[in-house]
Amino acid sequence: MKLTRKLVLAKAKAADLACVKKLNCWGCGLTDISIFSQMTNVVVLTLSVNSVSSLAPLAGCLSLVELYLRKNAIGSVAEISHLRPLARLRVLSVAENPCCGRDPGRYRLAALRCLPRLQKLDNQVVTEEELARALAEGDELTTPPGSLQNQLSTSGPPEEENDALSYNMEETNRIRQKLGMKPLSRDKFPSPSSPSTRGSNATLKSHTLEAVLLLLRDLNPDELQTVHAATRNRLQAYIADSEPSPGLERTQNRLQAYIADSEPTPGLHSGLRTDSRLT
């Protein structure tokens, strides 16, 4: 199972990955944790009782202080070398992984030589004597070649497109619910054209616009008249609130011309009902 952005935000009750400081994914059946390459601010992370085999995605989590990985599928003690850049890491649990092998003492010395700043390993305090022995006798760990590239290539592309499409769909159906309308199914939504810009204000506004345009298809003439009036009022407020600037006067003149041309007329309702070009 792949840990997704949506699942992370739901568990952490956060609005953005950058806001996640603590995350508990104990026993979630995870195999792919590539999402952590985007989570540099996480401080306490629990991934115990999963099926994680590679620690490469954690190499960029430079704020990590506590990391719990008990009972996973880490097959090689060399995977711990991915944690070497984490200068703030003080608590680590890797017990009951295949990498601990039949000689947990040897694994422990190798881990401490790789991560000499640890204060607690597998729920045991690291003593000065043990650290000195690890630095003298512990096996030197080297990062598995190409492990990060392999992790990224097997995990597939980021879920930016799905996230953007989900936002578009949820926003549209939220508005439809307020209007007492039935929600649309996923196949009614076009795929976003620029997933690489997910999260930017411009993209979110674009998705909102798409949601509004989808709603217009289902509105009757009276409802369209309401939208028309609200749009006209919003344009008037925009003109009134805009600060003078070069070029703004031309825009304001165009908006005022539009407002003047769109004043309600007695035949507006009938026109909306009969003119097939509007559908």
Side-chain angles (χ1 to χ4, degrees), residues 215-237:
L215 286 172
L216 292 179
R217 302 175 185 176
D218 297 326
L219 298 182
N220 61 36
D222 290 333
E223 292 165 338
L224 287 171
Q225 174 75 357
T226 301
V227 173
H228 178 76
T231 302
R232 189 174 62 252
N233 293 337
R234 182 68 184 91
L235 287 172
Q236 290 174 332

Side-chain angles (χ1 to χ4, degrees), residues 47-58:
L47 294 172
S48 298
V49 194
N50 283 288
S51 299
V52 175
S53 59
S54 174
L55 303 184
L58 302 175

Side-chain angles (χ1 to χ4, degrees), residues 14 22 29 31 41 43-44 60 63 69 80 106 113 117 144 146 150 154 159 179 183-184 205 217 245 250:
K22 294 183 179 181
T31 57
N41 296 327
V43 176
V44 179
S63 299
L69 295 161
I80 294 177
R106 182 177 181 181
R113 177 173 179 175
R117 297 185 183 88
N150 291 338
T154 57
E159 296 191 15
L179 295 175
L184 294 175
K205 289 180 179 179
R217 302 175 185 176
S245 62
R250 290 193 300 272

Side-chain angles (χ1 to χ4, degrees), residues 69-242:
L69 295 161
R70 186 177 63 87
K71 283 190 176 181
N72 270 277
I74 304 171
S76 171
V77 68
E79 287 294 327
I80 294 177
S81 65
H82 288 297
L83 308 180
R84 190 179 281 118
L86 311 185
R88 299 181 181 180
L89 188 63
R90 295 295 181 267
V91 178
L92 176 64
S93 175
V94 194
E96 300 180 71
N97 271 275
C99 66
C100 298
R102 297 181 179 179
D103 188 356
R106 182 177 181 181
Y107 135 76
R108 186 175 174 89
L109 291 178
L112 290 177
R113 177 173 179 175
C114 180
L115 305 172
R117 297 185 183 88
L118 286 180
Q119 297 175 354
K120 185 180 288 188
L121 176 60
D122 296 333
N123 207 32
Q124 295 182 23
V125 175
V126 178
T127 64
E128 293 183 5
E129 293 78 7
E130 185 180 31
L131 180 58
R133 183 185 173 193
L135 294 176
E137 304 176 13
D139 295 334
E140 184 175 357
L141 302 181
T142 57
T143 304
S147 57
L148 179 57
Q149 183 61 36
N150 291 338
Q151 175 76 8
L152 294 176
S153 62
T154 57
S155 64
E159 296 191 15
E160 294 173 339
E161 181 170 341
N162 287 335
D163 286 345
L165 179 57
S166 296
Y167 177 89
N168 186 3
M169 181 173 63
E170 291 171 4
E171 179 70 9
T172 300
N173 286 334
R174 182 179 65 82
I175 298 173
R176 292 178 68 89
Q177 185 178 16
K178 288 184 177 181
L179 295 175
M181 303 166 67
K182 294 182 179 179
L184 294 175
S185 60
R186 190 180 183 88
D187 59 2
K188 299 294 184 181
F189 292 81
S191 297
S193 57
S194 302
S196 61
T197 59
R198 176 188 52 80
S200 67
N201 290 336
T203 301
L204 295 182
K205 289 180 179 179
S206 174
H207 295 156
T208 302
L209 177 60
E210 290 177 10
V212 172
L213 293 177
L214 281 170
L215 286 172
L216 292 179
R217 302 175 185 176
D218 297 326
L219 298 182
N220 61 36
D222 290 333
E223 292 165 338
L224 287 171
Q225 174 75 357
T226 301
V227 173
H228 178 76
T231 302
R232 189 174 62 252
N233 293 337
R234 182 68 184 91
L235 287 172
Q236 290 174 332
Y238 174 80
I239 293 174
D241 295 340
S242 299

